[in-house]
Structures are given as C-alpha cells and as structure tokens.
Amino acid sequence: MSEVLNVEEIFASKVFTLGKMRERLPKTTFKEVQRVMEKGGELSKESADVVAKAMKDWAVENGATHYTHWFQPLTGITAEKHDAFVTHPDAEGHMIMEFSGKELIKGEPDASSFPSGGLRATFEARGYTVWDITSPAFLKEDATGVILCIPTAFCSYTGEALDKKTPLLRSMEAVSQQALRIVRLFGNTGATRVTASVGAEQEYFLVDREKYLRREDLIFAGRSLFGAPAPKGQELEDHYFGTIRERIGAYMKDLNIELWKLGVTAKTQHNEVAPAQHELAPIYETANIAVDHNQLVMETMKKVAGRHGLTCLLHEKPFAGVNGSGKHDNWSLSTDNGVNLLDPGRTPNENIQFLLVLACILKAVDEHADLLRWSAADVGNDHRLGADEAPPAIISVFLGSQLDDVVSQLIETGQAARSVQGGKLRTGVSTLNDIEKDATDRNRTSPFAFTGNKFEFRMVGSSDSIADANTTLNAIVAEAFCEAADELEGAENFEMAVHDLIKRYLSEHERIIFNGDGYSEEWKAEAARRGLPNIRSTVESAAALTTEKSVELFQKFGIFTKTELESREEVTYELYSKSINIEALTMIDMVKKQYVPAVMKYSGQLAKSILAIREAGGRAAVEAAHLREIESLLEKVERAREALEKVCATSQAMTDPKTQAFAFHEKVVPAMEKLRAPVDALETLVDKEAWPVPAYSELIFEV
Ligand code: ADP
Ligand code: MG
C-alpha cells in the first residue's frame, strides 16, 4: 500500500496564506493588510516591516535562505533574482537573517536586459519590481534550496509597465469599477467590487528525456522542426481520455502534489487527443492569481518531468500532423456579494441584467476582435490558429441554442418571452437514471464560447501567459459597460432604455455570433461576408495594439499608455523574429551536422554495395534506384538549405522590427518548410539505424 496522502494537510503548505498572516501578524497589521488587499491603498512603512519579518520568519522556518521578487517580463515567462537573507555579521561574527519592509515592497532589477520594445535603452537600466499584495508569497524548492518568492509588478524608472501583471491589475480595477455601475443600475448597492475569475486549462506533451536530448530542435525551439509522420497518428481517437499509463500517472501524481503545496487547486487530469498529450485544469480563481498560478503550473510541469526522466513540451505545436496544445481561458465576473454576472439562471429571457451583460460582451468582442486575436498570438500559436484542430483565427462567439433563441427574439421584437429548456435525457435503460439535460449543447470549434456561467476563450497558446488575454477581456468589457452605464444612468425610463439598448447592441453586433462549425471552409467565406477580421498570424495581429480605437480604449481606463502599447507591438515583432531566427538556425545546424552527414554515409554504403553486387554479377536495380532517389532528395536539401541561409541573413540584417518580423514570417518560414520537406522524405527512405535523431514514432508513442 502506498502512503496515505493528506491533501488537506499539504495544500498551500508552501504559501504564506492569509491564514498564516492571521496567525503570525498582530491584529492591527493583519487588518491593514486585509484592507489593502481588498480596497487598495498603501501599507504603512511600519506594517510593511512587520509583514516582512513575519514572512521571513515563516520562510526561514521552512528552510528558506533567499528571497526573490518574482515577476513576469514581456518574455511571457517569469524572472527571478535571488538575494540571501544574510546581512553584515556583528562584531563577534554572528549572522542575523533579515528582511525589511522596504525589501519586501521594492526591488531594483536591471531593466535593460528584458524586452521593453524601445522603452529602455541599454544605458537607461533602472527598473523596479513592486510587491503585489493581492497574490500570496510562496516557497520554491529546488536544487538552489528554498527560495521565498514574492509576486511583483515590474515597471521602468519612468513608470511604464514592463511586465504582464501591471496592466492586468489595472484592467481588473477598470472592469470592477464599470461592472459596479451596471449592477447598481439593477439595485445591487451592496457590492463593492466585481472580480474577474479565471480558470485556465493547460495542455502539454511529455516525451522521454533521453530522446529529447538527442533532438536539437526540441531543445532549442521546443518543437520538432523535422520529422516524418509515424504510421499511426491520432486517427483512432484512442488517446483522448484513455487510460493513463503508469509512467505518466506517476508524473501526474507528483505534479498534483507539488501544485497543491503551492496552493494551486489542480483538479482535472486526462489524456488529450494527440499521443503523448495531456491536460491539467485547476479550479478558477481571481484573474491575477490565476495568471500567477498558471505560470507556476507551467514551471512545475517542466520541473517534475525531469524527476521522471521525462521532458514536458509546452510548445503549441511540438509535432506536425497531430494536435497541438492550447489553453482554454475560462472567464467570468462576480460581485463580492455573490452574483456571477454571467449566470443566466434557468430563464435567461427574464434576467435583464444578464442580457445587458451579454449584449455588452458581444459588443466588446465584436469591436475589439483584433485585440483579442493579438492577445492569443504567439509564434507557436501560428501553427494552430486557423489550422484544422484549434479555433480558427477568426473571432466569433458561440452562445448555444438557448441564448441564441433568446437573442433572436430580442432582435426581432425587443422582447424575449420564453427560454428553451433542456428537459430530460432518457437513456432507454431502466437501471440508468434519466438525467436533467443542459439547455444547450457544446461547440468545440468556437474560439469564444459561452459555457453555462462563463465564457471560454480557447485561442490562447499553451506556452503563453494568460495575462494578455485577460487584460484584453477585462479592458474591452469595461469599455462596453462604461458606455452602457453612461447611457442608462441618465435614462428617464430605465426599463425602456435598457430594453432599447440591449436590442440595439444585439442587432449591431449579431454578426459576431456563430454557432456552427468553426473549422469549416464555409465559415471562412461567411465570416468574410460578415466583415469579421481573419488575422492569420502573429505579425499581422500586432498592429491592432496601436490603432486609434485601441489607444483610446486602453488610455481611457489607464491600462496602457500609447507608449506602452507601441512598446508591446514592437516586442511582439522582436520576439517573433528572434524565435523564427532560432528555429531557422537550428534547422541549418541539424541539416549540416546531422542529416546530411548521415545521409552521405548511408548513400556511400549503398554505393559500395551496388558496386559489390554488380561485381558479383547482380544488377542491383533496386539499390541503384534507391540511391538515385536519395541523391536527388539530398540535392534538394542542399539547395533549400542554401536558400534558407540566404533569406535568414537578409532578414537578420534588417533594422526596423516590423519589417524584419514580416520578412521572417513571409520569407524565412516558407524557406524552412521547403527545407523540411526533403529531409522528412529522406527519413522515410534511409535505414532507421542510420537516422541521426529519434523518429516521431519513438518520441510520441514510446513515452
Ligand atoms: P468545462 O468542461 O466547461 O470546460 P470545467 O468544469 O472543466 O468546465 O471547467 C473548466 C475550467 O473552468 C476550470 O478551470 C473551472 O474551474 C473553470 N470555471 C468553472 N466555472 C467558472 C467560472 N464561473 N468562471 C471562471 N472559470 C470557471
Ligand atoms: Mg473546457
């Protein structure tokens, strides 16, 4: 029997929770902390010192030697710089571990080495990290020891956000303020805050570490840049929800334990569609914490994999020909007195507040589809969005039959008299219960789907931070709420005004609703007729940030300044160019040092045996044909490699980030595909023993 695991005991054992603060802080300090967490404002210097000491004592009791301001620069991952709690020893050489309120609140990492999109020149290095009191500090334990991690925001000397957290927090305040205006219109005066809640489902691949280490492409690019398809893919649909193999099960168990200790509510686990692909979903929580926790999920997935001789691939498309990975961002808004604004109830047609919220969200998504699309863009996701496995690159909203019917009634008559109900599901088996059906079926192909009491934004890439997506959602919905509230607060007859407004918003933005098959070709044509944008790539998506309407939106709510938006657009281009450049260089390297030498060696042997066979009186017809085919492919490889090197060099030399990113997208990416094709063809011809890297079949089927 295995040891009994006490989840209640280990949960959040590595987190400096509110509960621990209550135990360890004087009552007045604790109250102050709680107030700042809920209502904002600043902690006094004295209280900050008290909190810092309590936090340090707890950390040291748990083995910590260092602390770090943990932040999320525009690289999309997290950053940390460790400082030991050690101080000057006293005259007698005693060491006293210390940590002050000042150190808790403010850090000064060098800002010049993080992407800033022109905001920071290398000579202007100052940047600050600032404690985010709303996300709890935690302990990270690895080979470096135990480190106290303090979630922080990261800003430049001049106050511009250089990270993903600052704008997210700003957007949460904006949507809270505007949503409060909406609920007050309906008489909810008790609410003081509206919180965006987020649950992010995380997909990932696991491969054997030994094999991973033999593939430069997986190491440098996180995805395979070559690889002929295995004889079997995912066509039997036998992996999705399939029995979890022992090795993977042991990994998942370990992963859950680590996450629970960090206060992450790892809840659901299952095998995904592609071989070697899996998913983990935690329970939803406040957007800011959900973003931090998703970073911890990704980090822990990678760390735990190492212990099991595995490597976790978070790339959106690690293997061609089978599904890639995404992240479903489930999002809703709730008041602090317990109302989920996205809960339609049993009879949505009578729930005017819900219908208003829904109309505002449809308006927001329709007006800012381009921004939402940018928020889910990253280099890896270009392989998914618009390909036949993930939502299309076109943003549309799935409402389901019940809401769709209500919306149609409202558009036609301004009134909705009825709501379709789910009814009973009869199984036809007497020993099985008849069950209550949901009023609406699901749709797997929609990028933005209503799922009961939340929206599920399904476009985000698996390796990406969910911060941009939620910042954008909060911002665009805040704007729609604001416009609606401006109109309705001044209305003489609220009832009539709200009906008119709902009808108007729905009619104007009906085009964004689509309940059909988002993967189909017909939808692409239909979406074009409706005028919906189809933004196919990351480089094309970035311009959305700096359109007039985007600048107006983000500035209005103090989420981004124009300068910050320009910097983010530039960072998108820079990261794109750098990533593709790495991929291209990796391909060139593998071709020159691995594939070509291996093929030459093999064809050399083949040539020798042809000569030997002929000398012995045979014809060697098969061998000779084989050799010719290999030779011809090898020539193609050489030509394609030269062409890739050339476009790569031209693109590298470009100085304007946007022009450069477009060059990488339009010139380098196709040249990479041209190089891949003959190499993959060779893989199917050359002796398996002679092939220099593990094949797809070994990577995804033999985990
Ligand atoms: P589904 O099967 O609809 O995807 P799940 O229950 O599996 O639903 O939930 C998926 C994710 O959505 C989980 O992280 C879950 O906690 C989260 N979630 C559920 N309800 C909400 C909500 N009201 N707001 C935000 N996220 C939610
Ligand atoms: Mg889901």
CSV table of all heavy atoms in Angstrom, one decimal, residues 197-201 268 281-285 328 330-334 340 442 451 453-454 456, ligand 1:
chain,number,residue,atom,x,y,z
A,197,SER,N,-12.8,36.3,-12.7
A,197,SER,CA,-12.3,35.0,-12.3
A,197,SER,C,-11.9,34.2,-13.5
A,197,SER,O,-12.5,34.3,-14.5
A,197,SER,CB,-13.5,34.1,-11.6
A,197,SER,OG,-14.0,34.8,-10.5
A,198,VAL,N,-10.8,33.5,-13.3
A,198,VAL,CA,-10.2,32.8,-14.4
A,198,VAL,C,-9.8,31.3,-14.1
A,198,VAL,O,-9.3,31.1,-13.0
A,198,VAL,CB,-9.0,33.5,-15.0
A,198,VAL,CG1,-8.2,32.7,-16.0
A,198,VAL,CG2,-9.4,34.9,-15.6
A,199,GLY,N,-10.2,30.4,-14.9
A,199,GLY,CA,-9.7,29.0,-14.8
A,199,GLY,C,-9.0,28.7,-16.1
A,199,GLY,O,-9.6,28.7,-17.2
A,200,ALA,N,-7.7,28.3,-16.1
A,200,ALA,CA,-7.0,28.1,-17.3
A,200,ALA,C,-6.7,26.6,-17.4
A,200,ALA,O,-6.0,26.0,-16.6
A,200,ALA,CB,-5.7,28.8,-17.4
A,201,GLU,N,-7.3,25.9,-18.5
A,201,GLU,CA,-7.0,24.5,-18.7
A,201,GLU,C,-5.7,24.5,-19.5
A,201,GLU,O,-5.5,25.1,-20.5
A,201,GLU,CB,-8.1,23.9,-19.5
A,201,GLU,CG,-9.5,24.1,-18.8
A,201,GLU,CD,-10.6,23.8,-19.8
A,201,GLU,OE1,-10.6,22.8,-20.5
A,201,GLU,OE2,-11.5,24.7,-19.9
A,268,THR,N,-8.4,18.6,-12.5
A,268,THR,CA,-8.7,17.7,-13.5
A,268,THR,C,-7.5,17.2,-14.3
A,268,THR,O,-6.6,18.1,-14.6
A,268,THR,CB,-9.7,18.3,-14.5
A,268,THR,OG1,-10.8,18.9,-13.8
A,268,THR,CG2,-10.3,17.3,-15.5
A,281,ALA,N,-6.3,20.9,-15.4
A,281,ALA,CA,-7.1,22.1,-15.1
A,281,ALA,C,-7.2,22.3,-13.6
A,281,ALA,O,-7.5,21.4,-12.9
A,281,ALA,CB,-8.5,22.0,-15.8
A,282,PRO,N,-7.0,23.6,-13.2
A,282,PRO,CA,-7.2,23.9,-11.8
A,282,PRO,C,-8.6,24.5,-11.6
A,282,PRO,O,-9.2,24.8,-12.6
A,282,PRO,CB,-6.1,25.0,-11.5
A,282,PRO,CG,-6.0,25.7,-12.9
A,282,PRO,CD,-6.4,24.7,-13.9
A,283,ILE,N,-9.0,24.7,-10.4
A,283,ILE,CA,-10.3,25.4,-10.2
A,283,ILE,C,-10.0,26.9,-10.4
A,283,ILE,O,-9.0,27.4,-10.0
A,283,ILE,CB,-10.8,25.1,-8.8
A,283,ILE,CG1,-11.0,23.6,-8.6
A,283,ILE,CG2,-12.0,25.9,-8.5
A,283,ILE,CD1,-11.4,23.2,-7.2
A,284,TYR,N,-11.0,27.6,-10.9
A,284,TYR,CA,-10.9,29.0,-11.2
A,284,TYR,C,-10.7,29.9,-9.9
A,284,TYR,O,-11.1,29.5,-8.9
A,284,TYR,CB,-12.1,29.5,-12.0
A,284,TYR,CG,-13.4,29.5,-11.2
A,284,TYR,CD1,-13.8,30.7,-10.6
A,284,TYR,CD2,-14.2,28.4,-11.2
A,284,TYR,CE1,-15.0,30.7,-9.9
A,284,TYR,CE2,-15.4,28.4,-10.5
A,284,TYR,CZ,-15.8,29.5,-9.9
A,284,TYR,OH,-17.0,29.5,-9.2
A,285,GLU,N,-10.1,31.0,-10.1
A,285,GLU,CA,-9.8,31.9,-9.0
A,285,GLU,C,-9.6,33.3,-9.6
A,285,GLU,O,-9.7,33.5,-10.8
A,285,GLU,CB,-8.6,31.5,-8.2
A,285,GLU,CG,-7.3,31.3,-9.1
A,285,GLU,CD,-6.2,30.4,-8.4
A,285,GLU,OE1,-6.1,30.4,-7.2
A,285,GLU,OE2,-5.4,29.8,-9.2
A,328,HIS,N,-7.4,26.8,-22.6
A,328,HIS,CA,-8.7,27.4,-22.5
A,328,HIS,C,-8.8,28.3,-21.4
A,328,HIS,O,-8.6,27.9,-20.2
A,328,HIS,CB,-9.8,26.3,-22.5
A,328,HIS,CG,-9.9,25.5,-23.7
A,328,HIS,ND1,-10.7,24.5,-23.9
A,328,HIS,CD2,-9.2,25.6,-24.9
A,328,HIS,CE1,-10.6,24.0,-25.1
A,328,HIS,NE2,-9.7,24.6,-25.7
A,330,ASN,N,-11.0,30.2,-19.2
A,330,ASN,CA,-12.4,30.4,-18.7
A,330,ASN,C,-12.5,31.6,-17.9
A,330,ASN,O,-11.8,31.8,-16.9
A,330,ASN,CB,-12.9,29.2,-17.9
A,330,ASN,CG,-12.9,27.9,-18.7
A,330,ASN,OD1,-13.9,27.6,-19.3
A,330,ASN,ND2,-11.8,27.2,-18.8
A,331,TRP,N,-13.5,32.5,-18.2
A,331,TRP,CA,-13.5,33.8,-17.6
A,331,TRP,C,-14.9,34.2,-17.2
A,331,TRP,O,-15.9,34.0,-18.0
A,331,TRP,CB,-13.0,34.8,-18.7
A,331,TRP,CG,-13.0,36.3,-18.4
A,331,TRP,CD1,-12.0,37.0,-17.8
A,331,TRP,CD2,-14.1,37.2,-18.7
A,331,TRP,NE1,-12.4,38.3,-17.7
A,331,TRP,CE2,-13.7,38.4,-18.3
A,331,TRP,CE3,-15.3,37.0,-19.3
A,331,TRP,CZ2,-14.5,39.6,-18.4
A,331,TRP,CZ3,-16.1,38.2,-19.5
A,331,TRP,CH2,-15.7,39.4,-19.0
A,332,SER,N,-15.1,34.8,-16.0
A,332,SER,CA,-16.4,35.3,-15.6
A,332,SER,C,-16.2,36.5,-14.7
A,332,SER,O,-15.1,36.8,-14.3
A,332,SER,CB,-17.2,34.2,-14.9
A,332,SER,OG,-16.6,33.9,-13.7
A,333,LEU,N,-17.3,37.1,-14.4
A,333,LEU,CA,-17.2,38.3,-13.5
A,333,LEU,C,-18.2,38.1,-12.3
A,333,LEU,O,-19.4,37.8,-12.6
A,333,LEU,CB,-17.7,39.6,-14.2
A,333,LEU,CG,-16.7,40.1,-15.3
A,333,LEU,CD1,-17.4,41.2,-16.1
A,333,LEU,CD2,-15.4,40.6,-14.8
A,334,SER,N,-17.7,38.3,-11.1
A,334,SER,CA,-18.6,38.1,-9.9
A,334,SER,C,-18.5,39.3,-9.0
A,334,SER,O,-17.4,39.8,-8.8
A,334,SER,CB,-18.3,36.8,-9.2
A,334,SER,OG,-18.4,35.7,-10.0
A,340,ASN,N,-22.7,36.1,-9.9
A,340,ASN,CA,-22.0,35.9,-11.1
A,340,ASN,C,-22.7,36.6,-12.3
A,340,ASN,O,-23.8,36.2,-12.6
A,340,ASN,CB,-21.8,34.4,-11.4
A,340,ASN,CG,-21.0,34.1,-12.7
A,340,ASN,OD1,-20.7,35.1,-13.5
A,340,ASN,ND2,-20.8,32.9,-13.0
A,442,ARG,N,-22.7,21.7,-26.5
A,442,ARG,CA,-21.4,22.4,-26.6
A,442,ARG,C,-21.0,22.6,-28.0
A,442,ARG,O,-21.5,21.9,-28.9
A,442,ARG,CB,-20.4,21.6,-25.8
A,442,ARG,CG,-20.5,21.8,-24.4
A,442,ARG,CD,-19.4,20.9,-23.7
A,442,ARG,NE,-19.5,21.1,-22.3
A,442,ARG,CZ,-18.7,21.9,-21.7
A,442,ARG,NH1,-17.8,22.5,-22.3
A,442,ARG,NH2,-18.8,22.0,-20.4
A,451,THR,N,-20.2,28.9,-21.9
A,451,THR,CA,-20.3,27.6,-21.3
A,451,THR,C,-21.0,27.6,-19.9
A,451,THR,O,-20.4,27.4,-18.9
A,451,THR,CB,-19.0,26.8,-21.2
A,451,THR,OG1,-18.0,27.7,-20.7
A,451,THR,CG2,-18.5,26.4,-22.6
A,453,ASN,N,-22.0,29.5,-17.3
A,453,ASN,CA,-21.9,30.7,-16.5
A,453,ASN,C,-20.6,31.4,-16.7
A,453,ASN,O,-20.1,32.1,-15.8
A,453,ASN,CB,-22.2,30.4,-15.0
A,453,ASN,CG,-21.1,29.4,-14.5
A,453,ASN,OD1,-20.2,29.1,-15.2
A,453,ASN,ND2,-21.2,29.1,-13.2
A,454,LYS,N,-20.0,31.2,-17.8
A,454,LYS,CA,-18.6,31.8,-18.1
A,454,LYS,C,-18.4,31.8,-19.6
A,454,LYS,O,-19.1,31.0,-20.3
A,454,LYS,CB,-17.6,30.9,-17.4
A,454,LYS,CG,-17.5,29.5,-17.9
A,454,LYS,CD,-16.5,28.7,-17.2
A,454,LYS,CE,-16.3,27.3,-17.5
A,454,LYS,NZ,-16.9,26.3,-18.1
A,456,GLU,N,-15.5,30.9,-22.4
A,456,GLU,CA,-14.3,30.1,-22.5
A,456,GLU,C,-13.6,30.6,-23.8
A,456,GLU,O,-14.0,30.4,-24.9
A,456,GLU,CB,-14.7,28.6,-22.7
A,456,GLU,CG,-13.5,27.7,-22.6
A,456,GLU,CD,-14.0,26.2,-22.5
A,456,GLU,OE1,-15.1,26.0,-22.1
A,456,GLU,OE2,-13.2,25.4,-22.8
B,1,ADP,P1,-15.8,22.7,-19.0
B,1,ADP,O1,-16.0,21.3,-19.0
B,1,ADP,O2,-17.0,23.6,-19.3
B,1,ADP,O3,-14.6,23.2,-19.6
B,1,ADP,P2,-14.9,22.6,-16.3
B,1,ADP,O4,-15.7,22.4,-15.1
B,1,ADP,O5,-14.0,21.5,-16.7
B,1,ADP,O6,-15.8,23.1,-17.4
B,1,ADP,O7,-14.1,23.9,-16.1
B,1,ADP,C1,-13.0,24.3,-16.9
B,1,ADP,C2,-12.4,25.4,-16.2
B,1,ADP,O8,-13.3,26.5,-16.0
B,1,ADP,C3,-11.9,25.1,-14.8
B,1,ADP,O9,-10.7,25.7,-14.5
B,1,ADP,C4,-13.0,25.6,-13.9
B,1,ADP,O10,-12.6,25.9,-12.6
B,1,ADP,C5,-13.3,26.9,-14.7
B,1,ADP,N1,-14.6,27.6,-14.3
B,1,ADP,C6,-15.7,27.0,-13.9
B,1,ADP,N2,-16.6,27.9,-13.6
B,1,ADP,C7,-16.0,29.1,-13.8
B,1,ADP,C8,-16.5,30.5,-13.7
B,1,ADP,N3,-17.7,30.8,-13.3
B,1,ADP,N4,-15.6,31.4,-14.0
B,1,ADP,C9,-14.3,31.1,-14.5
B,1,ADP,N5,-13.9,29.9,-14.6
B,1,ADP,C10,-14.7,28.9,-14.3
